[in-house]
């Protein structure tokens, strides 16, 4: 049994807890919060369910203790740098860190990689949603006069998205001013954005999300090779399950002395599965 | 540059040739036919484009020469056994053999593995076609009185398929007898099969194929996670490109001294790509 510690117990932490308990090969040894003393953690792998910006420092702390980590760090432009930052630390402490292990970045990245390999020419469009964007929701909440917000991502095709932003105003706030400031915010200024005042954002809450990923590409010299990957999912549940699958892969890599930091596209997919190699190959290949 | 030899020059061999020539990091050193003297091959990887049943013996010959191999062996029930057969030979000769490297088995296997990892409960249905089935076409041709045949696979959902078998009869052959014998053949006896007499099979030829792969699964304790992967492709072109991507992976594994036989689900997806790791992670993760 792989011993798992969970750090952070929000949406993702709770989903990870469910996925660990459902896994036949894992044992939950503890759930830790932000200010707990982490030096006493007894685990093979720590699953980091903190806000994304806190992931790097928690990963460093765990790796220094020789505990492998998995996170769902989701700032696309900083993933490679995080990998480079954690690699020497993981190696020095004979541990493994799997980063950006959610669904995008994460399982979608594997699909994009596979499609680029089998049709190297061409364009992949990743269309998100409909679903709640964490980053845009946080940005909308930060606008003066906004009490609660929900920013929904609506796919318009070819990787272009509409933002539907539902705002619950603070008492006395002026909607037109809020709308103007929000539309000028860098998070929203580049997309078609609609701001909608509502009496209660809580009643709109829904963790459904999805992706529609398409590629038209060229295999060899043959054009018009068409591929499509669609998901309609509960967002934290999927992220939690991807992280648990990666905890398994982290142990496998560590057992092979392949210490270091990895993104999902650098890991053999079979390492994500429970069960033995023979059965998995016989049933899946 | 990776030096590539192609063995066999039918549909797949020709598509492989195109994909090798289109690859920025590969050099074609020779195309060999069935009866050529293979002991003089100079290559890092031999791409085996022979009929599936001849793959094991050609793989053994190449591995004994220390040349890595890639094949698209497609008899699902025998893939694990072939892996076990080739593993010691590859290891003894410090080579790598990547087997069953087409689209199914192959890239579809990676998608199935990924979906099982991220939603471990549930059922995946792989629906093939519409497209030409090699195995069923060969079986139809073997029926007495059949001059030419084409067996099309039509997806009916939940992994159930209809067979549309177009037959060109030999002079004097009785269609009703041919139809009866064909429907009793083990290849056709278990599926809904329609036999259609045509004046010319050649005029129906089309290498288009496709897949509609669906999974409804459970992540953690959350049901109704829905996934779908669709392709509409030129069959030999895609198979050829997958084999070429795997030639790259074979070299990478060999350089790491990870000798042995592998299926596609055992290989880090990034190994299938040309270009450097940093750029690939930055653009795909």
């Amino acid at each position: 049994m792989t011993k798992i510690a969970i750090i952070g117990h929000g949406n993702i932490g709770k989903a990870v807890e469910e996925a660990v308990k459902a896994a036949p090969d894992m044992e939950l040894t503890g759930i830790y919060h932000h200010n707990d003393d982490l030096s006493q953690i007894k685990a093979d792998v720590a699953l980091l369910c903190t806000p994304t910006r806190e992931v790097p420092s928690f990963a460093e702390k765990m790796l220094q203790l020789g505990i492998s980590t998995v996170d769902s760090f989701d700032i696309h432009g900083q993933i490679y740098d995080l990998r480079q930052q954690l690699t020497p630390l993981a190696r020095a402490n004979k541990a493994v860190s799997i980063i950006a292990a959610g669904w995008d970045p994460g399982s979608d990245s594997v699909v994009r990689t596979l499609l680029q390999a089998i049709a190297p020419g061409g364009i992949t469009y990743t269309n998100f949603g409909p679903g709640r964007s964490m980053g845009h929701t946080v940005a909308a909440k930060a606008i003066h006069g906004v009490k609660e917000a929900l920013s929904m991502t609506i796919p318009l095709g070819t990787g272009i998205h509409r933002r539907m932003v539902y705002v619950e105003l603070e008492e006395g706030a002026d909607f037109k001013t809020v709308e103007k400031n929000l539309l000028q915010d860098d998070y929203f200024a580049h997309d078609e954005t609609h701001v909608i005042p509502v009496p209660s954002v809580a009643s709109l809450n829904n963790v459904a999300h999805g992706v529609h990923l398409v590629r038209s590409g060229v295999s060899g010299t043959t054009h018009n090779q068409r591929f499509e990957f669609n998901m309609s999912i509960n967002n934290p549940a999927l992220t939690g399950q991807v992280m648990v699958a990666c905890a398994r892969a982290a142990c496998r890599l560590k057992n092979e002395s392949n210490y270091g930091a990895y993104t999902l596209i650098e890991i053999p997919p079979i390492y994500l599965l429970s069960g033995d190699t023979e059965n998995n190959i016989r049933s899946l290949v």
Side-chain angles (χ1 to χ4, degrees), chain A:
Chain A
M1 301 290 271
T2 300
K3 290 180 170 33
I4 302 286
I6 297 173
I7 301 179
H9 207 232
N11 275 345
I12 301 296
K14 285 170 190 156
V16 164
E17 181 187 355
E18 291 177 348
V20 171
K21 288 179 176 169
D25 51 350
M26 300 208 180
E27 182 188 339
L28 184 60
T29 61
I31 297 172
Y32 299 85
H33 296 86
H34 199 276
N35 294 317
D36 290 349
D37 174 13
L38 300 178
S39 65
Q40 303 306 315
I41 286 183
K42 294 272 176 285
D44 301 308
V45 186
L47 300 184
L48 310 181
C49 307
T50 66
T52 260
R53 291 188 193 285
E54 296 174 18
V55 158
S57 72
F58 279 101
E60 286 184 341
K61 275 180 210 159
M62 289 298 103
L63 293 173
Q64 273 155 1
L65 296 168
I67 296 173
S68 293
T69 64
V70 175
D71 66 63
S72 57
F73 184 86
D74 66 355
I75 307 171
H76 284 263
Q78 298 175 19
I79 292 167
Y80 183 77
D81 302 324
L82 179 60
R83 175 184 180 274
Q84 297 310 92
Q85 177 189 336
L86 297 181
T87 293
L89 204 58
R91 289 191 182 148
N93 293 284
K94 300 196 170 180
V96 169
S97 179
I98 301 182
I99 67 171
W103 56 270
D104 204 319
S107 47
D108 283 358
S109 314
V110 174
V111 175
R112 281 191 289 268
T113 301
L114 185 67
L115 297 187
Q116 174 144 330
I118 70 182
I123 299 172
T124 298
Y125 292 116
T126 304
N127 302 293
F128 295 107
R132 181 176 181 266
S133 163
M134 282 290 277
H136 290 79
T137 295
V138 169
K141 274 193 210 181
I143 302 288
H144 185 75
V146 174
K147 189 175 164 191
E148 256 313 331
L150 166 65
S151 180
M152 294 290 288
T153 304
I154 312 298
L156 302 180
T158 59
I160 304 297
H161 298 91
R162 176 187 297 143
R163 310 287 170 188
M164 298 292 286
V165 189
Y166 300 88
V167 291
E168 185 178 331
L169 297 182
E170 280 172 353
E171 216 169 295
D174 174 55
F175 174 67
K176 283 289 164 197
T177 309
V178 164
E179 183 184 38
K180 188 178 153 227
N181 291 337
L182 192 145
L183 293 176
Q184 285 173 355
D185 188 286
D186 201 53
Y187 261 92
F188 298 100
H190 314 287
D191 296 328
E192 177 192 330
T193 300
H194 302 259
V195 190
I196 300 144
V198 294
S200 160
V201 160
S203 66
L204 307 181
N205 195 35
N206 177 1
V207 296
H209 217 311
V211 86
H212 172 59
L213 191 158
V214 288
R215 183 174 183 84
S216 173
V218 183
S219 306
T221 56
T222 301
H223 292 243
N224 198 30
Q225 304 282 74
R226 294 187 174 268
F227 308 89
E228 184 183 5
F229 178 69
N230 297 313
M231 296 194 312
S232 164
I233 47 91
N234 173 312
N235 186 352
L238 186 60
T239 304
Q241 186 67 65
V242 173
M243 290 179 72
V244 166
C246 287
R248 197 173 280 134
C251 288
R252 177 78 182 262
L253 290 162
K254 182 173 167 162
N255 286 342
E256 293 170 350
S257 306
N258 283 317
Y259 313 120
Y262 297 81
T263 58
L264 214 53
I265 68 172
E266 300 170 86
I267 298 171
I270 199 171
Y271 285 17
L272 302 171
L273 301 177
S274 64
D276 72 58
T277 300
E278 176 169 352
N279 282 344
N280 287 329
I281 290 177
R282 286 197 189 280
S283 65
L284 292 165
V285 175

